[in-house]
Structure formats: structure tokens, C-alpha cells
Amino acid sequence: MIPIARPQLGTEEKELVWAVMDSGSLAQGARVREFEEQFAALIGTEHAVATSSGTTALHLALLGYGIGPGDEVITVPFTFIASANSVLYTGARPVFVDIDERDFTMDPALVEAAITPRTRAIMPVSLYGQPARMVELAEIAARRGLELIEDACQSHGAAIGERRSGTWGVGTFSFYPTKNMTTGEGGILTTDDGELAERMRLLREHGMKVRYHHDIVGYNFRMTDIAAAIGLGQIGKLAGYNQRRREIAARYDAELRGVVTPFVRADVTHVYHQYTVRVRARDAFAEALRSRGVGSAIYYPIPVHRQTPFVARGYGGESYPVTDRLTEEVLSIPVHPSLSDDEVATVIGAVNDTAAELGAHEPETEPEPGRSVP
Ligand SMILES: *Cc1c(COP(=O)(O)O)cnc(C)c1O
């Protein structure tokens, strides 16, 4: 079975981790600091603050902006639940807006109508490796006096023009093993706002600048030096990983038949955290791929507003028609950089045979064809 994800770790990561274990200082220390500096340089921000996960990075961004009970944060229901859960952790209320059918990210045209006097921030998600419409969203946020938090947990190295994901407001990344680069578990925040970075550092460490002197109620959201060592090995490989993902995606774009391939906006560098197609009879499609030796996954089978804890909080009655429709149709196929050319050919054959068997997908509104230029 060709798996949907296959993390690649080499001797470099092993040696770096070994050195940390030999040093005897395992918790947040010099390796974390070094990883933060290298990641900020990679993304192109002044500051980076490493965390224990992407989820704690999102939580810390909201805490850093002082968002809490009585506040509202605008986000999307078509995402991993952590985006919206981070808002709940603070006591604030997530307010959902629908996504654009073509690129699966927050539709900026719907944002203004969702803004109320309680709105404090907009949290778009750069899903599957394509940045959300950050330029339009940054304009709305600036005009309406709102903070902008980009959930960039799937878009390491993605860009709009020359500007990378994570450079608007504050960006949050995850290093979970299936992401474009990993630290085992881990996350990081990127920003040019020095005061925000300082507040987030304080909140990450129990409000402590001087050891055991606590200025505020903080948290333990620290990354370990062991995780940072893995990250230091991975960071130099990200560009090559992303390039390989883009090469595979370009072959899929050219050779897949009977499925709707991803739409990529003209000014975007997509890094294909996932290669997600729209298919007919999705569950049968996934089963047929499986029988042909190809793994696949549904990101995500239930939109956030229909998940049990959100229904319990009064969500679930609203309609987000694009989200609801795409939830029934999306299927992600393997696009990770460790795929061999033979495996890529196997995936293409399996998808095309399955689409021929089950019928081609013809959406009501045909999106413009995707373009993936490696
Ligand atoms: C992975 C992910 C997260 C959470 O990251 P963890 O490191 O697993 O906590 C948040 N949002 C999105 C969109 C993700 O894909």
C-alpha cells in the first residue's frame, strides 16, 4: 500500500538528536533558539517563537493578542479542529465563514458581514499548502482594526508572490510528522511584531523572565531541544521536499482524468501539503484506490461546525454550502516527497482507472483548471 504520508528522517537528524542527548540538556535551550533563528530567516520574519505543537502555537497567538472571553474570532469550518479549538481555549467564540470553492480557503468576500463589535481577529487557514488570500484579508484586518492570525500549519514555504506564508500578522506552523517538515511534535509562531513575540515568549514559560519570578499566569508550551534538533536537520531539506511535492503535483495535474484537480491561484507557490482532488462517490472511490494499493485520506470528513463539541455549543444549524459540498467530495492522494516515480505512476493509474469505473466528476461550476509549475 502506498501510504498517504511517510516522514523522511536521515542521519543528519539522528546525529543532531544524539548530540542533544549527550549534552544532557534536553528541554528548551540552545537548539530551540537556533531553530527559531533559522526558521524566522527561512520565512522572512524578524521573530519566531517555538512551541510544543501547532495547536499550542495557535493558542499562544490568541493569548499574545489578549483575546479572551467576550471576543470573537473569524475562522473557517473547513479545517482541522485545532484552528477553532484554540479559540475556545481562550474563552472567545469562533465565528465561521465559508471557503472559496476553488482554492478551499476563507472567502474574503464573506468576512466583512461576519464582523461585529466583538470581533478581535481573523484566522484564515492556508489549507493543503496553498496560502489563504492573505493580501485581501490583511487589507480588511487593517481597515477594521483587527488582528490577523494565519493558520499556516500546512503551508511551510508556500508564498504569494515573493512573500511567504507566515509573514502577515502572526503565522502559526505545526511540525507534526505528516507536515511538510517535522520535529516529531512541535510548532512555531512567526511575526515581525517584537512586542508580541516577547509576550508570547513570556506566556510560553509560565510568565517567567527571571527564574521563578512570575509576572503573569503563563503556560508550559515549550519545545524541547530534542525536537529542535530534528527540526534543524529538516529545515535545510524543506526546499527540496517542497520541490519534489510540486513535481509530483505537476504530473498529477497533467495526467489525472475524471477528477477535479487542485486550483492554484496565479500568484501562489503551492507546497502541496496535500494533493486533494474532488471525486464522485467519494467513499467508494477511496475503497477502489485501496484495492489498487493506493492509500488516500479525507481532510476532513466532518466540518468543524458539525463536530460534537461545537454542536453542543450551539453550532451546526448554520449552513456553509461550499464547505458542506466539498466535505462530501474531497479526497487526498499521496504526494509526499519520498514517493518514487513508479509509485507516482501507480497512483495515476489507480485514480484514472477508478474514475473510469465510477464515473468522471463534473461539478456544477467547473473551476478553472489547476496549474502546478514545478
Ligand atoms: C496540523 C494542524 C494543526 C495543529 O497542529 P498540531 O501540531 O497537530 O497541534 C492546526 N491547524 C491545521 C490546519 C493543521 O493542519
Side-chain angles (χ1 to χ4, degrees), residues 96-274:
F96 295 114
V97 298
D98 212 347
I99 53 168
D100 184 302
E101 172 154 9
R102 293 169 308 162
D103 68 11
F104 307 119
T105 70
M106 181 180 279
D107 185 345
L110 302 176
V111 171
E112 300 251 11
I115 296 173
T116 75
R118 291 171 177 269
T119 309
R120 291 284 316 281
I122 308 174
M123 181 197 283
V125 180
S126 295
L127 200 73
Y128 302 150
Q130 171 151 243
R133 295 180 180 255
M134 298 310 297
V135 177
E136 293 103 302
L137 293 169
E139 189 276 320
I140 296 169
R143 185 157 41 76
R144 304 296 297 262
L146 304 175
E147 312 297 353
L148 187 58
I149 299 166
E150 180 189 2
D151 182 338
C153 287
Q154 302 187 1
S155 63
H156 318 63
I160 301 175
E162 297 293 304
R163 201 168 160 181
R164 292 229 153 121
S165 239
T167 60
W168 286 269
V170 59
T172 66
F173 294 84
S174 163
F175 301 117
Y176 187 75
T178 58
K179 308 289 163 134
N180 291 41
M181 59 175 283
T182 187
T183 62
E185 293 269 12
I188 206 164
L189 295 132
T190 52
T191 186
D192 286 328
D193 183 337
E195 282 176 30
L196 174 68
E198 267 322 296
R199 273 198 305 281
M200 295 192 304
R201 286 184 195 288
L202 203 58
L203 285 159
R204 176 181 62 176
E205 283 238 77
H206 284 298
M208 181 170 84
K209 255 187 241 151
V210 178
R211 190 163 279 273
Y212 305 128
H213 292 63
H214 305 278
D215 304 335
I216 52 173
V217 176
Y219 300 79
N220 174 1
F221 286 166
R222 294 184 300 262
M223 178 183 273
T224 67
D225 261 18
I226 296 174
I230 300 173
L232 285 166
Q234 290 268 296
I235 202 166
K237 301 178 183 176
L238 178 67
Y241 288 160
N242 283 346
Q243 179 63 18
R244 178 65 183 154
R245 286 177 182 269
R246 288 161 56 75
E247 267 168 35
I248 297 166
R251 267 196 77 185
Y252 289 163
D253 287 351
E255 297 179 43
L256 294 183
R257 301 282 176 267
V259 299
V260 182
T261 56
F263 168 81
V264 185
R265 303 198 308 276
D267 54 347
V268 156
T269 302
H270 196 315
V271 295
Y272 294 98
H273 171 61
Q274 298 298 340

Side-chain angles (χ1 to χ4, degrees), residues 334-347:
V335 73
H336 47 87
S338 72
L339 291 174
S340 67
D341 289 344
D342 282 350
E343 287 177 318
V344 172
T346 300
V347 174

